[in-house]
């Protein structure tokens, strides 16, 4: 059960309605997380910077690499919504998220994402060496910042127990999170 309600369009302020409308215009829907975030427009806008960082890393990562990195972080963080969202994308692209095959670069991104969640104070030397092989310093900063906002998104959903969006239900796998 969610700890915070989702905003209802009909009873929202004009500022919230503008953000709500903008989100539907951009993406065709507004997710449960975004409807929860809209209790605070500044919080909503801060979390929407995920898209800004995603667009930046897409200058040096392909779409699959972005999805794999995001999925690894969200799965390691046990975020029901985000891991299911990225799982859906993988399945819709014809992949089995439980039996993925990785290139060397993709494996590095997956391992980096998992280590950032698991133990950010002790990223392995092998990861740093791999990052330096594939990316320049600006790109490593962007990847790390993107991972941070991905983790923040996971944390928001987990802490407030934002419910899984209906359209993701068929893609869900078992999660540790308990809604008790």
């Amino acid at each position: 059960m969610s700890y915070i309600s989702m905003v209802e369009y009909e009873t929202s302020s004009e500022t919230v309605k503008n953000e709500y409308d903008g989100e539907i215009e951009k993406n065709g829907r507004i997710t449960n997380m975004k409807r929860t975030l809209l209790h605070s427009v500044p919080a909503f806008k801060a979390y929407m910077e995920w898209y800004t960082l995603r667009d930046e890393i897409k200058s040096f990562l392909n779409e699959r690499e972005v999805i794999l990195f995001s999925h690894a972080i969200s799965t390691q963080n046990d975020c029901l919504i985000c891991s299911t969202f990225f799982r859906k994308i993988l399945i819709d692209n014809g992949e089995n998220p439980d039996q993925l095959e990785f290139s060397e670069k993709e494996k590095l991104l997956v391992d980096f994402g998992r280590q950032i969640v698991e133990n950010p104070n002790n990223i392995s030397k092998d990861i740093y060496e791999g990052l330096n092989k594939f990316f320049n310093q600006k790109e490593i900063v962007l990847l790390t910042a993107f991972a941070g906002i991905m983790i923040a998104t996971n944390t928001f959903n987990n802490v407030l127990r934002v419910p899984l969006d209906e359209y993701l239900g068929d893609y869900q796998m078992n999660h540790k999170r308990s809604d008790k």
Side-chain angles (χ1 to χ4, degrees):
M1 171 177 246
S2 182
Y3 287 120
I4 302 292
S5 65
M6 291 178 272
V7 299
E8 297 297 334
Y9 184 85
E10 298 76 24
T11 58
S12 295
S13 69
E14 285 306 310
T15 303
V16 170
K17 285 180 181 178
N18 288 337
E19 296 296 337
Y20 201 111
D21 290 341
E23 189 59 29
I24 290 175
E25 185 177 313
K26 276 189 266 181
N27 297 307
R29 72 169 58 95
I30 187 161
T31 64
N32 292 344
M33 181 189 98
K34 292 171 186 172
R35 285 183 57 209
T36 304
L37 275 165
L38 278 171
H39 281 286
S40 167
V41 171
F44 174 82
K45 287 182 176 185
Y47 278 82
M48 293 307 97
E49 287 301 306
W50 181 91
Y51 293 97
T52 303
L53 290 172
R54 183 209 52 197
D55 292 346
E56 286 289 317
I57 67 171
K58 282 176 123 178
S59 70
F60 58 91
L61 295 183
N62 65 39
E63 183 69 22
R64 184 174 193 267
E65 292 165 342
V66 173
I67 298 307
L68 291 173
F69 188 50
S70 303
H71 182 256
I73 293 165
S74 299
T75 302
Q76 190 69 34
N77 237 345
D78 198 35
C79 178
L80 174 64
I81 292 172
C82 296
S83 63
T84 305
F85 175 78
F86 294 112
R87 183 178 174 80
K88 175 189 183 311
I89 294 171
L90 290 166
I91 291 169
D92 289 352
N93 287 338
E95 296 197 59
N96 179 346
D98 301 319
Q99 296 180 344
L100 294 168
E101 294 185 20
F102 306 113
S103 69
E104 181 184 0
K105 183 179 173 186
E106 291 167 345
K107 177 76 169 119
L108 171 69
L109 289 165
V110 167
D111 290 346
F112 183 46
R114 289 178 180 157
Q115 281 192 20
I116 290 171
V117 172
E118 192 65 32
N119 191 355
N121 293 318
N122 194 25
I123 304 298
S124 73
K125 181 180 176 190
D126 291 343
I127 294 291
Y128 285 121
E129 288 172 357
L131 291 171
N132 285 318
K133 176 180 174 184
F134 286 103
F135 308 108
N136 64 40
Q137 290 185 3
K138 177 183 177 183
E139 292 167 341
I140 294 169
V141 167
L142 282 166
L143 284 170
T144 305
F146 178 81
I149 202 163
M150 187 78 253
I151 291 166
T153 301
N154 297 163
T155 301
F156 181 86
N157 287 323
N158 288 344
V159 169
L160 297 182
R161 297 181 184 229
V162 176
L164 186 68
D165 297 86
E166 282 188 29
Y167 79 98
L168 295 174
D170 291 342
Y171 297 90
Q172 184 179 354
M173 63 177 287
N174 293 330
H175 288 269
K176 294 180 247 175
R177 185 175 107 177
S178 170
D179 285 333
K180 294 179 183 179

